[in-house]
């Protein structure tokens, strides 16, 4: 049991296909106690369904764009648990119009929205988690994609937001290390999620990576959950500011 007795907060489950749902399942199987957030009542049902197999999980609402909801979330965690060992950030959003066409046409609002939700939310959440992690230390994870490291057609403003997310994770790793808080990046290959279905050309990318990558297969939320559980565990005690690609090796190709 990699995560026995660890208290882990996971933000970003939308439904059973979510990467965060895969991470939650592996963490629960490895003995972790879980707090799962849902964006609003529309998502509560599907989060409850996923949580039925878990041992008394905390289900809490959180829209990271609302500061008061973030404060209320960590007040509840403090009240119920007293401390936090892990935080998984699996949140992103961009206007669908900004996920296709010419990047130069991105609107000011669209650019700011994508960065607000997909990048700024990481330092925001990390700052609130800090007092609950400081003593024993903790592990923070965020989810990126190759399009944040190099250009992937149509990914556009989300790629720029992911670049910001990845550098945010590294600056957080540098700043929070003295409190024994580690911050790492998991970069999955393309996975068929609710969010992915909103991106132009996603289907063809899925097939292309499967044909080209070293393992000749697509990756799934369980693959991501396995690596995430490792990074959340004491087995990764000296790993911080690191990116692990869970992409069947695709990123090594030209
Ligand atoms: C052209 C790139 C194909 C591979 C994309 C892999 C991927 C799939 C999903 C990802 O996560 C999101 C999350 C929200 C998001 O914004 C959305 C999603 C659906 C509708 C909408 O209005 N915005 C876009 C991507 C992501 O960051 C990366």
């Amino acid at each position: 049991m990699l995560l026995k007795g660890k208290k882990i907060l996971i933000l970003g489950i939308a439904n059973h296909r979510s990467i965060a749902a895969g991470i939650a399942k592996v963490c629960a199987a490895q003995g972790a106690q879980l707090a799962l957030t849902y964006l609003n009542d529309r998502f509560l049902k599907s989060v409850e369904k996923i949580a039925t197999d878990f041992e008394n999980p905390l289900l809490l609402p959180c829209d990271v764009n609302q500061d008061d909801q973030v404060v209320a979330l960590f007040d509840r965690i403090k009240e119920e648990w007293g401390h936090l060992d892990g935080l998984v950030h699996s949140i992103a959003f961009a206007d669908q119009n900004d996920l296709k066409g010419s990047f130069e046409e991105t609107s000011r609002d669209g650019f700011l929205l994508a960065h607000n939700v997909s990048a700024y939310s990481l330092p925001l959440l990390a700052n609130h988690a800090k007092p609950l992690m400081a003593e024993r230390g903790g592990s923070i994870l965020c989810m990126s994609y190759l399009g944040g490291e190099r250009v992937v057609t149509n990914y556009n403003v989300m790629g720029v937001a992911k670049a910001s997310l990845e550098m945010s994770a590294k600056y957080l790793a540098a700043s929070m290390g003295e409190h024994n808080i580690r911050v790492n990046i998991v970069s999955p290959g393309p996975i068929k999620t609710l969010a992915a279905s909103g991106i132009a050309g996603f289907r063809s990318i899925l097939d292309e990576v499967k044909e080209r990558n070293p393992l000749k297969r697509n990756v799934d939320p369980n693959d991501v959950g396995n690596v995430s559980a490792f990074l959340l565990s004491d087995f990764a005690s000296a790993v911080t500011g690191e990116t692990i690609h869970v992409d069947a090796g695709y990123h090594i190709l030209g």
Side-chain angles (χ1 to χ4, degrees), residues 188-192 206 213 215 217-221 223-224 246-249:
I191 296 173
K192 203 173 175 337
L206 213 55
N213 74 39
L215 300 183
R217 73 174 177 91
N218 285 126
V219 297
D220 62 31
D223 291 315
V224 180
V246 184
D247 66 350

Side-chain angles (χ1 to χ4, degrees), residues 116-189:
N116 209 5
V117 177
S118 320
Y120 174 66
S121 56
L122 183 67
L124 173 70
L125 291 164
N127 195 35
H128 283 282
K130 184 174 159 187
L132 297 179
M133 287 184 166
E135 293 312 304
R136 314 157 176 232
S139 177
I140 298 176
L141 287 192
C142 63
M143 299 295 128
S144 190
Y145 172 62
L146 190 60
E149 298 172 58
R150 49 184 201 249
V151 174
V152 173
T153 308
N154 290 324
Y155 198 57
N156 293 11
V157 76
M158 187 56 86
V160 178
K162 288 300 188 183
S164 177
L165 176 76
E166 294 200 12
M167 265 331 287
S168 296
K170 291 170 191 171
Y171 276 95
L172 288 171
S175 171
M176 302 180 88
E178 63 184 289
H179 306 291
N180 196 18
I181 297 171
R182 299 180 291 105
V183 187
N184 291 291
I185 303 152
V186 175
S187 188

